[in-house]
Amino acid sequence: MTKYFLLKYLKSCSQLISAKPAQLLFVLGITTIFIACAPKNDTAASDEQEVAEQEVAEQEVAEQEVYEWKMVTSWPKNFPGLGIGANNLGALIEEMSGGRIKVTVYGAGELVGPFEVFDAVSRGTAELGHSAAYYWSGKNQAVQFFSSVPFGLTAQEMNGWLYYGGGMELWQKIYGKYNLIPLAAGNAGVQMGGWFNKEINSLEDLKGIKMRIPGLGGKVLNKAGGIAVSLPGGELFAALQSGAIDATEWVGPYNDLAFGFYKVAKYYYYPGWHEPGTTLEGMINKDAFEALPADLQSIVLNAAKVINQDMLADFTAANNRALNILVQDHQVELRRYPQEVINELARITNEVLETTAAEDPEFKEVYDSFNKFRVEAIKWHSVSELPYLEMREKAFK
Ligand code: CA
């Protein structure tokens, strides 16, 4: 259409050169009427333009829309490390989105209970959750691999498996069945073995002991003769103080100092054989995620990646400081698990993993992927991380 008018215009111009003012006005008037009355023709080009304009308009609406999201968590509000990590995730999403996603973070029990996070996000009561996957082993045993399993992967190895070893795809497949999108959103590093009021010198000493220890670690303790209890963090101090439990693990010096366990338990055992590098999870309600424009989806996914790294950095620095305070200011007695006890717990762990895999095909699928990665990681780290840490320690003794 534009070409047609251009030709007409050029042709008219050649005639106008010799035209009188009255004729000139007449030609201009006719041309104007012709342009104004020209049908908005239905050619493909016009349709395409309309579609493009509509898309731009929709994009503009999506860019102006503000999404009000709720995040429910399994942690006491503002709790060091875990709760702060959840706060940071919400704040970073808001900042990176330029305020287009606003996130209100709820501590455990404020909107839903600490162990109701999964269901709340699944059904859309909240759009986001921050928790740990092993809390949901009652729904699906396979999910425990996405937090931590006894004698499993370190933080560095977990990230390798999740991002570049097939772990995240398996996690997405399983959570997808519950209308959820999972995110790795923090890591606590190697945890501590737990707080006891008696020494653990042999497997016999674990018999009859009532200990708070979640997930597969709890199953292993049961097989070793102990009694595993699952309690949220916020209830642990009172339970240990009243004698409702004999022992507890929680996280590590940073978080354990905050709960004050040193006031009610004497021995602090290491290492956390049951949780060698626990990944904390973010979870998004799938419908809420799919309602976002593509740039905001990317922002949410990448904010979680930032927090995944940031939380580990926070834990590393804060654990260093908190361990000194526990030992020097509070006279906590550190104890290393005897190798004989660790060997037995490792043997039982393998039995539990193999038995569960034989009964549960989904567990087996994740276990196979996880285990393949672990075998390779053991080989690589036996010539990298492990000898380096050993050599450094000996060199500075
Ligand atoms: Ca723990």
Side-chain angles (χ1 to χ4, degrees):
M1 196 163 108
T2 315
K3 263 186 194 168
Y4 172 74
F5 279 113
L6 193 60
L7 286 171
K8 286 272 288 180
Y9 178 71
L10 290 172
K11 200 177 169 190
S12 301
C13 280
S14 63
Q15 292 163 353
L16 287 176
I17 292 165
S18 59
K20 292 176 185 167
Q23 286 172 315
L24 188 65
L25 279 175
F26 177 77
V27 171
L28 280 174
I30 290 293
T31 309
T32 307
I33 289 165
F34 190 74
I35 292 171
C37 298
K40 301 270 181 256
N41 78 33
D42 53 359
T43 62
S46 170
D47 285 351
E48 274 171 23
Q49 193 181 345
E50 268 180 36
V51 170
E53 280 168 3
Q54 197 179 338
E55 277 173 4
V56 169
E58 282 171 4
Q59 178 71 17
E60 279 169 0
V61 169
E63 278 169 12
Q64 284 159 9
E65 187 151 350
V66 173
Y67 298 84
E68 305 263 353
W69 276 16
K70 292 185 276 293
M71 185 198 296
V72 288
T73 73
S74 298
W75 328 118
K77 180 90 175 168
N78 301 326
F79 193 71
L82 306 171
I84 296 292
N87 291 351
N88 289 344
L89 177 61
L92 189 60
I93 290 172
E94 203 164 310
E95 185 187 320
M96 287 169 73
S97 69
R100 288 159 62 204
I101 305 178
K102 297 206 177 297
V103 183
T104 308
V105 182
Y106 295 88
E110 285 191 325
L111 194 63
V112 299
F115 293 155
E116 289 163 1
V117 168
F118 188 96
D119 286 341
V121 182
S122 174
R123 66 173 177 258
T125 302
E127 290 79 8
L128 265 175
H130 196 272
S131 189
Y134 52 39
Y135 290 147
W136 326 122
S137 62
K139 295 179 190 299
N140 189 317
Q141 298 202 79
V143 302
Q144 295 170 97
F145 291 103
F146 307 123
S147 47
S148 192
V149 297
F151 302 98
L153 305 176
T154 64
Q156 194 175 334
E157 293 166 351
M158 273 302 286
N159 288 332
W161 177 61
L162 288 172
Y163 294 140
Y164 292 100
M168 186 52 83
E169 287 80 1
L170 290 167
W171 197 357
Q172 286 166 344
K173 191 167 90 172
I174 293 176
Y175 270 40
K177 296 197 300 188
Y178 302 92
N179 199 37
L180 293 169
I181 293 169
L183 307 162
N187 198 299
V190 181
Q191 297 204 357
M192 286 293 280
W195 295 85
F196 295 82
N197 273 311
K198 68 170 192 174
E199 289 195 51
I200 307 299
N201 295 314
S202 70
L203 208 63
E204 273 302 303
D205 293 321
L206 286 176
K207 293 208 160 57
I209 210 159
K210 199 169 177 189
M211 180 176 182
R212 184 272 183 182
I213 173 169
L216 273 171
K219 273 195 169 181
V220 172
L221 179 73
N222 284 339
K223 281 203 138 201
I227 303 149
V229 179
S230 184
L231 283 175
E235 295 174 24
L236 295 181
F237 183 87
L240 198 56
Q241 191 177 36
S242 71
I245 54 174
D246 304 310
T248 187
E249 70 79 56
W250 172 226
V251 185
Y254 181 23
N255 284 175
D256 294 8
L257 173 66
F259 270 154
F261 297 138
Y262 62 88
K263 294 174 193 162
V264 286
K266 190 174 176 187
Y267 301 110
Y268 197 17
Y269 270 81
Y270 68 91
W273 57 274
H274 62 299
E275 290 191 66
T278 308
T279 292
L280 288 313
E281 66 179 3
M283 56 178 104
I284 318 168
N285 176 278
K286 216 173 176 184
D287 304 319
F289 184 78
E290 284 167 1
L292 295 178
D295 64 331
L296 292 186
Q297 289 182 342
S298 173
I299 281 168
V300 172
L301 298 178
N302 284 296
K305 276 196 171 177
V306 172
I307 296 304
N308 194 37
Q309 288 300 323
D310 188 67
M311 191 191 286
L312 183 61
D314 181 26
F315 266 98
T316 304
N319 277 333
N320 293 347
R321 290 192 295 268
L323 183 65
N324 284 336
I325 294 169
L326 285 170
V327 173
Q328 287 165 14
D329 300 353
H330 301 304
Q331 288 77 48
V332 166
E333 295 200 30
L334 290 175
R335 291 285 185 278
R336 181 171 168 149
Y337 277 114
Q339 187 63 42
E340 170 211 355
V341 171
I342 289 292
N343 290 348
E344 275 303 294
L345 293 171
R347 185 186 59 75
I348 297 169
T349 296
N350 266 348
E351 270 179 28
V352 170
L353 289 170
E354 293 292 332
T355 310
T356 315
E359 293 162 358
D360 182 337
E362 206 163 34
F363 184 95
K364 184 180 185 312
E365 188 185 7
V366 185
Y367 176 47
D368 286 349
S369 166
F370 185 92
N371 206 32
K372 182 172 172 283
F373 194 93
R374 183 172 63 169
V375 168
E376 289 165 356
I378 288 171
K379 280 187 204 156
W380 161 231
H381 280 164
S382 74
V383 299
S384 55
E385 299 285 321
L386 182 63
Y388 171 69
L389 292 175
E390 282 173 353
M391 289 164 79
R392 185 179 63 180
E393 192 180 337
K394 281 177 189 160
F396 284 98
K397 250 186 182 167

